[in-house]
Amino acid sequence: MKIFRMFARNVRDAFKSVFRNFSLSLASISCISVTLIIVAVALVASVNVKNFTKELERTVTINVFLEEDVTDEVIKDLDEKIKKLDNLASYYFQTKEEATKEFQSSSEILDGVVNSWKEGDTPLLNNFRIKVKDINYIDDTVKELRTFDGIKAIKYGEEWVGQMATAFGSVEKVTYGIVIALTIVTVFLIMNTIKLTIFSRKREISIMRLVGASNINIKMPFIIEGMVLGALGSIIPIFIITFGYLKFYHHFDGYLYFKVIQLVTPEPFMYYASAIVLVIGMLVGMIGSASAVKKYLKI
């Protein structure tokens, strides 16, 4: 019970300090809000880019067309080699007859085209349809496939797939970097605010030491104060995530320009993102406060 009473008192002191030093607290909360807004936007962007990459991996298929006179032995050998590909997610083999039926069922016009062919005289080829685990290594997978015998051509939209994968990867790295950099900046903002608060309360801290207050009792209100500042500073970014992203999603009907570039559905994503922003705000507040107290109080 004593621990709970001490904690409750520390929480009370922390809130008192926030309102007692309102101008400093307001400045700190404003700075935290600005940085967390950018963190939130970068977080949303990075998650969506990750989703774009996954969607690209799901939709892109490597079509491996075999030679016209390929034998069953060669097909079996290719099947075994494809199974051993490091970047393989899934694959299946399609005979030329199955390819013809699929082509025929695509539309009435194509059905008429197929019906004009002589029986058994199809220009389509036996093929393997391959999905990869990581789109960033699709070129390496294709290079390995080109070393196999019995293959006539490989098609996978190489003109745009590689460019999109590279672009998505670059954007993802940049957004992660922004989140990390701004989190560090927020820690320093909290540290500077707490330093000013500590300076204005030197006499109070000296009295606490004289009456025998332990180090933890002196430090805890400052740490909780940093957590409170971080939580208050995350309110506006959370509001932007919750309502801004929802409006953005519906404005673009859930995707950007192409169906493959699908946005992450708002629910439950915006709740997870809001919780992450809140946790980041509280953690950097606590870390910033703890660092300031340790360094400048020397307790």
Side-chain angles (χ1 to χ4, degrees):
M1 291 298 294
K2 183 179 179 181
I3 295 175
F4 289 112
R5 285 197 301 270
M6 288 175 59
F7 181 75
R9 185 172 66 250
N10 288 329
V11 171
R12 181 196 62 201
D13 292 342
F15 274 97
K16 281 183 179 180
S17 179
V18 169
F19 290 103
R20 186 187 306 136
N21 304 280
F22 185 73
S23 58
L24 288 174
S25 298
L26 184 61
S28 181
I29 289 169
S30 300
C31 292
I32 292 170
S33 292
V34 171
T35 52
L36 285 182
I37 286 171
I38 303 173
V39 168
V41 172
L43 179 65
V44 169
S46 64
V47 172
N48 274 284
V49 168
K50 190 73 173 177
N51 188 64
F52 299 160
T53 303
K54 287 182 178 179
E55 192 64 23
L56 196 62
E57 289 169 354
R58 189 183 67 82
T59 56
V60 171
T61 301
I62 301 175
N63 296 295
V64 180
F65 299 102
L66 309 187
E67 299 283 356
E68 291 88 342
D69 57 351
V70 68
T71 63
D72 291 340
E73 289 77 12
V74 173
I75 293 174
K76 185 177 179 181
D77 182 59
L78 279 170
D79 186 86
E80 292 298 323
K81 289 179 177 177
I82 290 171
K83 284 179 183 177
K84 297 176 182 178
L85 291 171
D86 293 334
N87 197 26
L88 179 68
S90 64
Y91 80 101
Y92 67 92
F93 174 72
Q94 185 182 56
T95 64
K96 62 175 68 177
E97 291 76 22
E98 292 170 341
T100 301
K101 289 180 181 179
E102 182 181 327
F103 183 78
Q104 186 176 13
S105 63
S106 299
S107 70
E108 292 182 3
I109 295 174
L110 296 179
D111 180 50
V113 172
V114 172
N115 288 329
S116 67
W117 297 343
K118 293 180 181 180
E119 186 175 353
D121 185 19
T122 174
L124 302 181
L125 302 169
N126 295 323
N127 64 86
F128 283 95
R129 303 278 180 93
I130 300 172
K131 300 281 188 183
V132 297
K133 294 178 183 176
D134 192 337
I135 199 72
N136 294 302
Y137 299 102
I138 191 170
D139 289 337
D140 295 333
T141 302
V142 171
K143 285 179 183 177
E144 188 174 354
L145 285 167
R146 292 191 193 281
T147 64
F148 300 163
D149 295 328
I151 294 176
K152 182 176 183 179
I154 299 176
K155 299 293 181 183
Y156 63 100
E158 55 270 25
E159 298 83 3
W160 60 275
V161 170
Q163 294 178 358
M164 289 186 70
T166 301
F168 290 163
S170 298
V171 172
E172 188 176 359
K173 290 176 182 176
V174 169
T175 51
Y176 283 146
I178 290 173
V179 170
I180 293 170
L182 289 176
T183 300
I184 294 171
V185 169
T186 307
V187 169
F188 281 104
L189 285 172
I190 293 288
M191 286 179 64
N192 289 330
T193 301
I194 297 299
K195 277 189 285 181
L196 292 172
T197 304
I198 291 170
F199 183 79
S200 66
R201 295 169 61 184
K202 277 187 175 180
R203 185 178 179 184
E204 177 184 338
I205 293 167
S206 298
I207 293 172
M208 292 175 69
R209 280 176 171 166
L210 288 172
V211 298
S214 65
N215 288 345
I216 191 66
N217 284 333
I218 297 174
K219 288 192 290 186
M220 190 56 67
F222 292 107
I223 294 173
I224 295 175
E225 182 179 344
M227 183 180 69
V228 171
L229 291 173
L232 293 174
S234 67
I235 292 174
I236 293 176
I238 288 173
F239 180 85
I240 290 174
I241 287 179
T242 304
F243 296 99
Y245 182 72
L246 188 64
K247 188 172 182 179
F248 178 82
Y249 180 88
H250 290 300
H251 177 75
F252 287 98
D253 294 325
Y255 63 92
L256 295 177
Y257 306 112
F258 307 103
K259 290 289 185 181
V260 70
I261 309 181
Q262 292 187 0
L263 297 169
V264 176
T265 52
E267 295 182 6
F269 165 65
M270 59 186 182
Y271 303 125
Y272 294 146
S274 297
I276 290 171
V277 170
L278 176 62
V279 170
I280 289 175
M282 295 174 69
L283 281 177
V284 297
M286 293 172 65
I287 293 169
S289 297
S291 300
V293 172
K294 183 178 180 180
K295 185 174 181 179
Y296 293 95
L297 289 184
K298 296 179 182 177
I299 56 176

